Amino acid sequence: MTSASLHPAAGPARRTVVAAAGAAGLAAALTACGSGDGSSGGGDTGSGPAGTALAKTADIPEGGGKVFKDQGVVVTQPAAGTYKAFSAKCTHQGCAVSSVANGVIVCPCHGSQFSAEDGSVRKGPATQPLAGAKIAVSGDEITLA
Ligand code: FES
């Protein structure tokens, strides 16, 4: 009697496993459809940096500059109407430079200073110039190029 009752129980258990596998297959098919929609979002990310509006020319003080942390760039105006851009990542140990004043870009970590005109080292401990960054100035708009 005990052994007879086990057999019917085994049958439904097997069917349950098969049904679960079928549901998993359906879920996988739905997931595949979803990833197709996701690819268009990836395209937006790729086209983000170039053409991104950074600032108005009026935001960049003459003889100084401004650090754009989110974009990792520092934009300077070493002479009236001349705009330059550099990577905001200090070449010493990678801190983000924090300010521009009196024609130099300053790193807060160990006090390195870089020329706001060409990124060259004005004061160590950094020994390498800041990498250049590309910007485009159109009218009073400064954008990443
Ligand atoms: Fe900039 Fe050290 S990381 S001075």
Side-chain angles (χ1 to χ4, degrees):
M1 198 155 175
T2 310
S3 63
S5 68
L6 277 178
H7 289 294
R14 280 196 200 102
R15 276 186 213 112
T16 303
V17 170
V18 172
L26 193 63
L30 289 172
T31 304
C33 289
S35 69
D37 295 337
S39 64
S40 61
D44 292 344
T45 308
S47 63
T52 300
L54 271 183
K56 300 280 187 195
T57 51
D59 294 337
I60 313 300
E62 189 182 334
K66 197 169 176 193
V67 179
F68 296 89
K69 276 194 186 143
D70 289 350
Q71 290 82 8
V73 298
V74 51
V75 178
T76 64
Q77 186 182 185
T82 301
Y83 298 90
K84 299 281 177 81
F86 308 95
S87 163
K89 188 175 173 185
C90 179
T91 57
H92 178 230
Q93 285 182 7
C95 285
V97 298
S98 61
S99 60
V100 187
N102 303 318
V104 293
I105 301 165
V106 180
C107 177
C109 286
H110 312 97
S112 287
Q113 295 181 0
F114 304 89
S115 165
E117 193 168 353
D118 59 11
S120 62
V121 177
R122 286 285 179 82
K123 184 170 171 288
T127 58
Q128 299 292 313
L130 288 179
K134 284 189 180 166
I135 52 169
V137 182
S138 160
D140 65 349
E141 288 274 355
I142 301 177
T143 54
L144 287 174

